[in-house]
Amino acid sequence: MRAEPTPYAPHIHHPAPIPFAEPWQYELAFPCDPRSPRIARTTLRAILGAHELDELSYRAELLTSELTTNSVRHTKGPAAVRLQWRHPVLRISVWDMSPDLPKPYAPPADPHAEAGRGMAILELVADRWGGCAIGEGAYGPGGKTVWFELGLGA
């Protein structure tokens, strides 16, 4: 069975891809669910692959996983990940509803502890990072944003 052409197909025109050095932004909102960090990593990998930024993928996935896991573990509400490309820098921000900023890294008392190293990983792997508390306002709930930047070729 052969598909018949439709009268609509010739009228479909896709825009040209965004040039490599032009800015872009994506955002993924997710619930407080233990599957959310995996979904965020998978989405991030797809976006970076589509924009041919595979060089940043490993570090971006690692750090995004740390921050989204912290959001799911330590807050009760929704969260979001935002990817922003400003050639040659990728900034990834994770927002959640808790206003409490992460504490500076202090080594866990037990070197075999299963948690407590996320901020050290962020410090070692990111080119830059920071965070800020956000007060509740006219645009929605407050919370905090923790972000990191990765430079292409860094």
Side-chain angles (χ1 to χ4, degrees), residues 26 28 30 34-50 54 57-58 60-62 64-65 68 81 83 92:
Y26 293 85
L28 171 69
F30 57 90
R35 295 169 285 206
S36 293
R38 179 171 36 105
I39 292 167
R41 283 191 310 272
T42 302
T43 303
L44 179 134
R45 187 179 317 120
I47 292 168
L48 295 181
D54 298 310
S57 189
Y58 177 76
E61 285 182 59
L62 173 65
T64 300
S65 183
T68 55
V81 176
L83 287 78
I92 298 179

Side-chain angles (χ1 to χ4, degrees), residues 5-122:
T6 68
Y8 304 105
H11 302 291
I12 297 175
H13 296 286
H14 295 285
I18 297 171
F20 187 74
E22 290 296 314
W24 50 256
Q25 175 176 297
Y26 293 85
E27 190 166 340
L28 171 69
F30 57 90
C32 186
D33 182 289
R35 295 169 285 206
S36 293
R38 179 171 36 105
I39 292 167
R41 283 191 310 272
T42 302
T43 303
L44 179 134
R45 187 179 317 120
I47 292 168
L48 295 181
H51 284 279
E52 299 179 2
L53 290 168
D54 298 310
E55 174 184 325
L56 301 177
S57 189
Y58 177 76
R59 292 190 304 150
E61 285 182 59
L62 173 65
L63 297 176
T64 300
S65 183
E66 289 295 330
L67 294 179
T68 55
T69 298
N70 284 349
S71 289
V72 168
R73 275 193 185 154
H74 302 296
T75 67
K76 301 292 183 215
V81 176
R82 176 180 291 162
L83 287 78
Q84 296 172 296
W85 174 247
R86 302 287 183 268
H87 181 68
V89 175
L90 175 69
R91 176 180 275 209
I92 298 179
S93 307
V94 176
W95 168 86
D96 62 45
M97 292 184 71
S98 170
D100 300 325
L101 290 169
K103 294 174 181 43
Y105 174 71
D110 178 3
H112 302 292
E114 292 183 17
R117 293 180 183 84
M119 298 315 293
I121 293 170
L122 187 62

